[in-house]
Amino acid sequence: MKKLLTAIILLTLNQILFSQKIEIYINDHLEIISKEDYKKRGVNYRLQNIETDSVLYKVRVEHEGKGKLTTTEFSELKKSLSVSETDTKNIVIHYYQGLDACNQHADKNEFVIDDIRTYNRKFKKSNSNLYFVYKETKGLKNRLDITTWIDDTSGAIENLFFKMEYPCDSAVVIFPDGNYIIFRGEHNWEKVFNTTTENYTM
């Protein structure tokens, strides 16, 4: 009886140990960081998890960030958006990665629809071109009818800016010199618009 009980305990412990996922802490550039860095608080940082069968990636997301495209990357981006190489306007991308818990009701939300119409008009009057880009169309039925969308099912634009999936839509403002400001996940339209009109420092 004691041997049977011991065997059951050992088997249970073995299952618990091997069913636990390895935790790895990373930032949104897919770089490994320490647990201490992951836990550092800041108004510009959000935490999210990405799970595989054996690993739980705990991600410290920098919501608003900066970067710069190489000459080749910038050229490829313009090609993806059908932008002329000589065009010197700011490029603004509103990016939809797919349906999630955050945006599942957005396609029937009158405020979301109104924002698209409002900012389409505002950007047309500014020194910036606004592009709506999707990775997949599920959850976009009504919004596809409101404005022109660009297909990124190849992942060309996603791979440049959005290396993981962020809740709700994301945005990025690219300036004529290749510098950019990115908004990963849910963001404020007005802040994105103001970013295109303000002086920026990288």
Side-chain angles (χ1 to χ4, degrees):
M1 185 64 180
K2 285 183 179 179
K3 286 183 179 180
L4 179 60
L5 185 58
T6 301
I8 292 171
I9 292 170
L10 288 173
L11 182 61
T12 304
L13 286 172
N14 190 54
Q15 286 179 332
I16 291 171
L17 287 171
F18 282 95
S19 64
Q20 288 181 338
K21 292 188 177 183
I22 298 169
E23 288 187 356
I24 297 178
Y25 300 91
I26 60 174
N27 59 27
D28 40 32
H29 299 291
L30 307 183
E31 300 164 336
I32 295 175
I33 59 174
S34 68
K35 188 174 183 178
E36 291 70 29
D37 283 340
Y38 169 81
K39 288 185 173 182
K40 286 178 182 175
R41 298 296 178 186
V43 293
N44 191 37
Y45 290 90
R46 300 175 178 179
L47 306 179
Q48 68 181 70
N49 294 337
I50 299 174
E51 291 191 58
T52 67
D53 290 339
S54 57
V55 180
L56 171 61
Y57 292 96
K58 301 181 80 68
V59 191
R60 187 173 194 253
V61 176
E62 184 181 26
H63 173 56
E64 184 179 326
K66 297 178 180 181
K68 184 166 186 176
L69 297 173
T70 65
T71 303
T72 302
E73 288 172 336
F74 203 6
S75 181
E76 288 300 317
L77 172 67
K78 285 185 172 183
K79 190 183 296 182
S80 297
L81 299 173
S82 298
V83 176
S84 167
E85 283 289 345
T86 58
D87 193 324
T88 58
K89 285 189 175 183
N90 298 327
I91 294 172
V92 182
I93 298 172
H94 178 83
Y95 197 84
Y96 177 83
Q97 287 183 289
L99 192 63
D100 60 34
C102 177
N103 64 23
Q104 61 183 327
H105 303 298
D107 204 45
K108 296 180 180 178
N109 187 315
E110 60 183 86
F111 297 107
V112 172
I113 302 297
D114 187 56
D115 273 346
I116 291 174
R117 292 193 175 110
T118 298
Y119 285 95
N120 245 335
R121 289 193 297 268
K122 290 185 77 167
F123 276 105
K124 280 179 182 177
K125 295 176 182 178
S126 73
N127 191 39
S128 301
N129 287 324
L130 174 62
Y131 300 90
F132 290 83
V133 182
Y134 65 80
K135 180 185 174 182
E136 63 172 65
T137 57
K138 188 176 181 181
L140 268 188
K141 184 177 183 296
N142 294 322
R143 284 172 285 177
L144 286 172
D145 295 333
I146 295 170
T147 190
T148 302
W149 288 75
I150 294 171
D151 183 341
D152 188 46
T153 51
S154 68
I157 296 171
E158 183 183 50
N159 290 335
L160 276 178
F161 302 108
F162 309 108
K163 292 182 172 64
M164 61 185 67
E165 292 188 6
Y166 302 99
C168 282
D169 304 355
S170 296
V172 59
V173 177
I174 305 106
F175 300 96
D177 61 0
N179 279 302
Y180 64 84
I181 295 177
I182 189 169
F183 302 84
R184 300 177 179 95
E186 190 174 10
H187 57 276
N188 180 285
W189 268 103
E190 190 65 13
K191 186 168 187 182
V192 175
F193 179 76
N194 289 339
T195 298
T196 67
T197 60
E198 295 169 354
N199 291 325
Y200 69 98
T201 54
M202 303 304 290

